[in-house]
Amino acid sequence: MTSTERTDVLVVGSGFGGAIAAYHLAAGGARVVVLERGPWLTGKDFDHDFKLGSSYTRAFDFVVGDGMSILGGNCVGGGSVVYFAAMPRAPRYTFERHGSIGRRMWPAAVSRDTLDPWYDRVAESINITQQDWSDVSYAGGLWAAACDHAGRTANPVPVAIDTTKCTNCNWMMAGCRFDAKQSLLFNYLPAALAHGAEIRPLHEVQKISRTDDGGYRVHYDLIDDEDYRIRGEGGTIDAKIIVLAAGAGATPVILQRSEDTLGTMPSAVGRYFSGNGERLNTAILNEDRVRDVLGLDRGDGLAYEANQIGKGPVVASWDRLDGSLPEYSRFSLEQLYFPPGLGTILAQVPGAPGVSWFGKDKKEILKRWRSWLIIFQMTEDDNEGVFGPPPAHGNADRLSQQMLGVGRLKYDPTPNTLRGWAEADAEVKDILERDGLAEVAAWTNDVVGAYTVHPLASCRIGDDPATSALDDRNELRGHPGIFVTDGSAVPGALNVNPAMTIAALAERAIPGIVQAARERGVDVTYGAPAPDGSTSGRHGALPLVPSLLRQ
């Protein structure tokens, strides 16, 4: 493969970390090219079915590892297109976590106080709605009622959704046909395009090498639009700055594969992976008890049978987001809709001895799937994931035409992680099994291991070179001009949905990336407003910019 193509900045991935970098650098005057592995889908492409070739299989990447599987986005806009749009800020104590290293894992420069202005920048750029009880779906209302009955509190979740456009179709996980979900397709990405950035879908980056002039060369393959196992010849692009934002399951793989051409990688590349401590429980509700105990009635003679009605997560219980509790005892519990498919496969039969994700009893509970309530638990894990040697191409060996692959992640949960899962499981059972409302069982780990939709920390920021791949400005140690701005930069589990924090850290990284670009001869400035031109959030962050620049 040969190429003479050049650009100032090459961004790998178009999710939160990639889109934010692409916008700011293009708005500042740099030539920016974004390479995205997946297709470019818009509202008309988002299907309301589970067929092969629909947006469900085209826009997702499901990689099965050894002990942990990752479900992520695979399209322009990345995870923002297929997530449930929950956008809470991380609890204050999260930034003080020690985790497996026995000391504060976050850089000293990052705390909730120092990150809040960058959270504000994101909130100015993405339309985030603090839902109230009138926005809550029936399933969310039931979870809130059950929490109240058990003496717990519950809260509507802040979301990046235009509630005036939402039809409560509950297909948002496959992309939003009605343009209600405020994905990156509606803010940072179109703003980046307006400033001249190029976005190239179906370009999968394989590795990075050095050029003779001190820059970098990115090597990519072209991916077939229908069968992701088919690769075209591809090419190379030279750039002065590289921003890696391919996701926590792909960014470390690209860097590992690049070691032969770039030189030794920091030891933390591909280590300390976190699944955000995630776990899922299924509650099979007793319709009569829901009616008698909670007094709920949908108005059509049913107490519930509403698993498929509404939208994604709308209500969470945050009682255990308490910094005074011991580490690994803190978690959030979030009601969410997980569509038939993977969820129905992994659900177990409550109370059954042994493995029960298949068999006669499983068939019986499947008949009652509309009476299920799914509870999403975000606990604190021990960052125990490690990536092995990378596959020949991409982040996984592709098994199917779309979506499914086998990766190199090994995850063996420690006693700390297992204890956190167990405490969250017990809390869900105490809430939902009280007075016979439901029977509860965690999803099985026997099929695809543990699972996460929020992979984090595989190239994390930190102060200690031994335990962090990036410095506190998101630059790859020993490789100036390469930055990582996706979820892999987040040091550990957050106890809440991480999209808002990933985005805030990406916003925070931009001043340092601009400085590095200028030092490499790129005529670029920092200070662009929000994508819609707003500036109030910028004023709060500007005083912090000098501290983010190398002296």
Side-chain angles (χ1 to χ4, degrees):
M1 297 182 293
T2 61
S3 172
T4 57
E5 185 176 6
R6 294 176 178 272
T7 189
D8 293 330
V9 179
L10 192 290
V11 180
V12 183
S14 58
F16 287 101
I20 289 171
Y23 164 63
H24 282 290
L25 291 160
R31 292 175 298 158
V32 177
V33 174
V34 180
L35 300 185
E36 166 58 50
R37 175 183 60 190
W40 198 330
L41 306 176
T42 59
K44 61 181 176 55
D45 302 307
F46 298 133
D47 303 297
H48 289 183
D49 63 50
F50 303 102
K51 297 177 182 178
L52 177 65
S54 73
S55 56
Y56 252 99
T57 60
R58 295 180 69 198
F60 274 112
D61 183 46
F62 185 66
V63 176
V64 179
D66 179 3
M68 171 71 75
S69 296
I70 301 172
L71 182 65
N74 181 57
C75 56
V76 173
S80 77
V81 174
V82 296
Y83 78 149
F84 281 123
M87 295 289 275
R89 302 186 183 197
R92 182 173 298 276
Y93 67 78
T94 294
F95 301 95
E96 307 302 324
R97 282 199 63 206
H98 285 198
S100 59
I101 63 174
R103 59 186 180 281
R104 194 178 192 270
M105 67 172 77
W106 284 78
V110 183
S111 66
R112 174 59 188 268
D113 288 336
T114 62
L115 200 59
D116 262 333
W118 305 104
Y119 277 130
D120 292 342
R121 287 223 59 171
V122 177
E124 182 183 38
S125 302
I126 300 175
N127 182 23
I128 298 172
T129 300
Q130 175 54 62
Q131 298 179 109
D132 60 32
W133 292 107
S134 66
D135 300 310
V136 166
S137 66
Y138 198 86
L142 188 149
W143 172 236
C147 287
D148 182 65
H149 176 69
R152 273 73 164 189
T153 65
N155 309 270
V157 176
V159 291
I161 295 174
D162 183 343
T163 55
T164 66
K165 293 182 178 180
C166 181
T167 66
N168 293 309
C169 69
N170 226 340
W171 285 91
M172 67 186 297
M173 195 173 176
C176 181
R177 179 183 292 181
F178 307 104
D179 294 344
K181 181 163 57 176
Q182 299 301 289
S183 73
L184 297 166
L185 298 175
F186 297 99
N187 35 72
Y188 286 101
L189 288 177
L193 289 170
H195 285 282
E198 295 182 52
I199 300 174
R200 303 180 187 178
L202 300 170
H203 284 60
E204 183 178 67
V205 171
Q206 303 303 320
K207 66 177 182 178
I208 306 167
S209 59
R210 295 188 185 275
T211 58
D212 293 338
D213 62 0
Y216 295 101
R217 178 164 294 162
V218 171
H219 304 250
Y220 64 85
D221 290 345
L222 296 177
I223 303 298
D224 186 79
D225 187 35
E226 293 187 1
D227 190 336
Y228 298 163
R229 297 169 297 186
I230 300 174
R231 299 174 180 278
E233 182 180 356
T236 60
I237 302 176
D238 291 353
K240 297 176 181 179
I241 294 290
I242 305 296
V243 178
L244 280 171
T251 287
V253 179
I254 293 170
L255 290 175
Q256 288 176 324
R257 192 182 290 115
S258 303
E259 192 159 26
D260 288 343
T261 51
L262 282 180
T264 303
M265 287 292 128
S267 61
V269 168
R271 295 180 60 203
Y272 303 107
F273 174 90
S274 167
N276 201 33
E278 291 172 3
R279 190 155 166 85
L280 286 151
N281 273 222
T282 299
I284 302 174
L285 296 166
N286 182 318
E287 297 282 335
D288 291 337
R289 296 302 292 163
V290 169
R291 181 184 298 108
D292 295 344
V293 174
L294 300 182
L296 297 183
D297 188 333
R298 267 175 44 193
D300 50 11
L302 298 173
Y304 178 58
E305 285 197 10
N307 185 44
Q308 80 283 16
I309 300 172
K311 44 195 168 188
V314 291
V315 173
S317 178
W318 291 326
D319 291 344
R320 296 292 289 268
L321 299 185
D322 181 351
S324 68
L325 294 173
E327 197 167 357
Y328 308 103
S329 296
R330 302 172 294 206
F331 51 81
S332 62
L333 305 175
E334 190 172 81
Q335 155 274 330
L336 85 94
Y337 172 68
F338 212 101
L342 187 63
T344 49
I345 293 170
L346 299 181
Q348 296 194 88
V349 178
V355 177
S356 62
W357 61 271
F358 64 93
K360 180 181 177 181
D361 291 339
K362 176 63 175 286
K363 290 181 180 179
E364 288 301 312
I365 69 166
L366 285 174
K367 295 176 182 177
R368 300 171 53 199
W369 73 271
R370 289 182 178 84
S371 293
W372 292 10
L373 182 70
I374 309 298
I375 304 300
F376 185 38
Q377 303 156 209
M378 287 168 277
T379 71
E380 292 171 315
D381 65 7
D382 240 344
N383 290 80
E384 50 263 81
V386 178
F387 284 85
H393 300 279
N395 65 316
D397 293 318
R398 294 291 148 198
L399 296 182
S400 62
Q401 181 174 322
Q402 295 167 9
M403 190 173 176
L404 182 61
V406 174
R408 301 294 191 271
L409 174 63
K410 181 175 177 57
Y411 188 88
D412 185 12
T414 67
N416 286 332
T417 298
L418 293 172
R419 186 174 74 251
W421 288 351
E423 289 192 22
D425 287 348
E427 182 80 350
V428 174
K429 287 177 73 70
D430 187 55
I431 293 170
L432 287 171
E433 292 191 344
R434 188 175 294 243
D435 294 324
L437 286 175
E439 294 180 287
V440 178
W443 285 16
T444 181
N445 285 8
D446 293 334
V447 183
V448 293
Y451 24 79
T452 181
V453 295
H454 298 137
L456 303 170
S458 52
C459 293
R460 63 187 186 178
I461 59 173
D463 290 330
D464 179 7
T467 59
S468 58
L470 313 175
D471 65 20
D472 65 358
R473 297 173 180 85
N474 291 65
E475 192 167 26
L476 183 66
R477 297 184 185 279
H479 301 274
I482 298 179
F483 293 82
V484 175
T485 56
D486 58 20
S488 59
V490 176
L494 300 174
N495 286 160
V496 295
N497 314 73
M500 190 70 171
T501 300
I502 294 170
L505 283 176
E507 283 277 5
R508 179 183 178 275
I510 301 303
I513 298 174
V514 168
Q515 181 188 36
R518 290 181 61 83
E519 291 171 353
R520 288 171 169 260
V522 179
D523 185 13
V524 60
T525 59
Y526 176 73
D532 68 355
S534 302
T535 60
S536 60
R538 181 180 64 176
H539 296 321
L542 278 179
L544 299 176
V545 170
S547 67
L548 296 171
L549 303 179
R550 292 188 299 272
Q551 303 301 316

